[in-house]
Amino acid sequence: MEQHTDVIIIGSGLAGLTAARVLKTAGKSIKILEASDQIGGRVRTEEVDGFLLDRGFQVLLTAYPETQKFLDYDALDLCKFDPGALILNQDGITKIGDPIRQPSSLISTLRSPAATFADKFRMLALKLELTNKSIDDIFSGSQATTLAYLEQSGFSQRIISQFFKPFMTGIFLEDKLSTSSRMFEFVFKMFSQGDAAIPAKGMGMIPLQLARGLSADEIVFNEKVVVVEANKVITAAGSHYHADSILIATGEFEVPAPFRRPAASCHSVTNMYFTAPSPPFIAPLIALNALPQKLVNNIAVLDRISPGYAKNGQSLISLSLIGDHSGLDSEQLQAEALLEMQNWFPDAIQWTHLKTYHILYALPNDDEVTNEVDLTLTKLGSHCFICGDHLMNGSINAAMKSGRRAAEAILAN
């Protein structure tokens, strides 16, 4: 059966949903073809035994320009992390905060052995410098690795290993800090100027809000597009859909023929969830594992941020393991993670495993990044376009911006 519409959007992740909103606002008819059974792409929340599990630990940085354009923060009921982090090392637990935004953290930050006094003043100077540096200036600047950037900025190996490395590894999902210094400056600026937050009912509320206003006949689930031919797409089920324009908004590895490219490098993560009778720590902070040889990179107690993530007074604990651990024995992996946690949280032996997510493609490689969509990459043909954060940089902001810019290109076309 053949169907026709103004624009077919392949994929319902944040890029595709943002494009859909822009196109609908402009009066275009749309049809979203989604290969899975739900929207959101890499931003999803699943309910398991009454607990809300984000598919991979993620946060929304409220300073993102694109999310400020498209999202209603009040309706998301955002719950915020405190600025800073807990540092877990051989000597125990220490805290680094942001005394400018949270004056009460000044004493603990000054006392923290995770950084020298000079490091702490350099951190403050960097925060002020990036506050006054525009996003355009950041992305038009030179690129080095994040590690080289930090070293050239005069930071000691102590703060790099104790704070920057585990903190940025949790964001970049790579532990060499080879990610572009542009991305570091952008992320550090976003953390400094806004909050790290999660919607009260899970990160999956973000795509649900973007999809608000879509009618039932505007999105088709379990419909995987395998081929794009001029103004037509063909699905694995043999269905044909026609449109004036086609927008590919799939993941980088799911781009249909004939536009599929050689597999690019990407970053993987394993996200393990445990429940416990009581939280391992009370502060609404992310905890960073600063041990040199480690399995778990960062820990979050999600019910300390949003009580709605857990039930019956129990705690929900998220552990992030960088890389692909899917080939390992699951029970052994759980045991090793809990054994490591017992260095700081003796009760970890009593935590109950809930679910593990192995996410092969969590982020694109960000060794080189931009904040503008290259139109030569966006337009694949006279009527075919592509969007996604892999064209710019791995972030919620870039996914939504690429969707917006692709929709604007279609309208201009």
Side-chain angles (χ1 to χ4, degrees):
M1 182 177 70
E2 296 189 358
Q3 303 177 33
H4 184 274
T5 191
D6 288 335
V7 184
I8 288 172
I9 300 172
I10 307 170
S12 65
L14 299 189
L17 292 173
T18 303
R21 176 174 287 193
V22 174
L23 291 166
K24 280 201 68 173
T25 300
K28 296 295 183 181
S29 62
I30 63 166
K31 178 80 72 175
I32 300 176
L33 304 179
E34 169 56 47
S36 73
D37 60 356
Q38 59 181 296
I39 63 171
R42 286 173 280 150
V43 183
R44 299 187 185 187
T45 301
E46 179 182 10
E47 184 174 337
V48 177
D49 296 340
F51 294 87
L52 298 180
L53 309 185
D54 294 328
R55 188 179 177 273
F57 173 67
Q58 304 174 60
V59 298
L60 171 65
L61 300 184
T62 61
Y64 279 153
E66 294 297 317
T67 58
Q68 290 179 356
K69 284 189 181 83
F70 289 100
L71 298 180
D72 181 343
Y73 287 174
D74 289 337
L76 288 175
D77 191 12
L78 294 180
C79 304
K80 302 169 184 177
F81 289 81
D82 279 356
L86 295 178
I87 310 297
L88 313 180
N89 58 28
Q90 296 95 329
D91 300 320
I93 302 177
T94 184
K95 176 183 175 182
I96 289 184
D98 184 345
I100 293 179
R101 297 180 57 200
Q102 193 177 43
S104 62
S105 69
L106 176 61
I107 301 301
S108 61
T109 300
L110 289 175
R111 287 178 175 172
S112 172
T116 68
F117 277 103
D119 285 329
K120 294 163 189 175
F121 286 109
R122 284 192 183 94
M123 182 105 72
L124 176 60
L126 178 61
K127 174 184 172 71
L128 295 175
E129 176 188 345
L130 293 178
T131 297
N132 295 319
K133 191 173 184 179
S134 72
I135 294 174
D136 288 342
D137 286 343
I138 286 174
F139 281 97
S140 62
S142 60
Q143 295 192 77
T145 67
T146 293
L147 180 59
Y149 174 92
L150 292 170
E151 291 174 340
Q152 291 164 9
S153 298
F155 288 104
S156 72
Q157 288 303 313
R158 187 195 305 181
I159 193 173
I160 290 174
S161 64
Q162 294 285 298
F163 174 73
F164 281 118
K165 201 161 192 177
F167 187 70
M168 301 315 298
T169 291
I171 297 166
F172 298 155
L173 303 184
E174 55 89 6
D175 60 7
K176 307 301 182 186
L177 297 193
S178 62
T179 295
S180 168
S181 55
R182 290 178 179 175
M183 198 63 189
F184 169 79
E185 287 195 332
F186 174 63
V187 169
F188 201 80
K189 178 181 176 71
M190 294 296 98
F191 270 102
S192 297
Q193 294 184 197
D195 294 298
I198 52 176
K201 295 183 179 180
M203 290 292 288
M205 296 305 294
I206 294 174
L208 286 176
Q209 188 181 98
L210 286 173
R212 190 176 56 205
L214 288 176
S215 60
D217 63 347
E218 288 178 321
I219 183 164
V220 184
F221 292 106
N222 301 307
E223 193 77 290
K224 181 178 177 62
V225 173
V226 293
V227 178
V228 176
E229 295 179 353
N231 295 80
K232 178 176 70 175
V233 303
I234 303 171
T235 72
S239 298
H240 291 203
Y241 295 83
H242 286 74
D244 296 330
S245 298
I246 295 166
L247 175 59
I248 298 171
T250 65
E252 190 174 7
F253 287 2
E254 286 78 43
V255 173
F259 303 109
R260 189 176 298 117
R261 300 165 182 167
S265 61
C266 65
H267 299 314
S268 306
V269 69
T270 290
N271 182 209
M272 305 178 77
Y273 284 101
F274 294 87
T275 63
S278 58
F281 54 88
I282 302 297
L285 289 163
I286 297 170
L288 308 175
N289 185 352
L291 293 182
Q293 301 296 326
K294 62 189 175 187
L295 177 63
V296 177
N297 184 77
N298 49 283
I299 305 97
V301 185
L302 293 168
D303 57 287
R304 299 303 304 168
I305 312 303
S306 170
Y309 268 70
K311 66 171 187 178
N312 299 333
Q314 291 186 292
S315 277
L316 177 64
I317 303 158
S318 167
L319 307 182
S320 295
L321 290 65
I322 306 306
D324 179 16
H325 299 267
S326 60
L328 303 178
D329 178 80
S330 58
E331 291 188 2
Q332 181 180 350
L333 189 65
Q334 295 166 32
E336 290 179 0
L338 292 182
L339 182 62
E340 190 171 73
M341 291 298 96
Q342 288 176 65
N343 287 318
W344 307 280
F345 315 116
D347 290 344
I349 191 66
Q350 300 173 11
W351 296 356
T352 302
H353 177 255
L354 192 58
K355 187 164 184 175
T356 294
Y357 295 93
H358 297 289
I359 305 167
L360 176 61
Y361 191 111
L363 282 177
N365 183 302
D366 276 342
D367 288 358
E368 295 186 9
V369 297
T370 180
N371 193 45
E372 288 301 328
V373 184
D374 186 338
L375 294 181
T376 61
L377 298 176
T378 300
K379 192 169 184 180
L380 302 178
S382 57
H383 302 284
C384 187
F385 300 78
I386 189 170
C387 62
D389 65 345
H390 57 91
L391 300 176
M392 297 168 57
N393 62 78
S395 67
I396 289 174
N397 185 76
M400 294 176 65
K401 183 172 183 176
S402 71
R404 172 176 65 83
R405 293 299 300 273
E408 291 167 351
I410 289 170
L411 294 172
N413 199 52

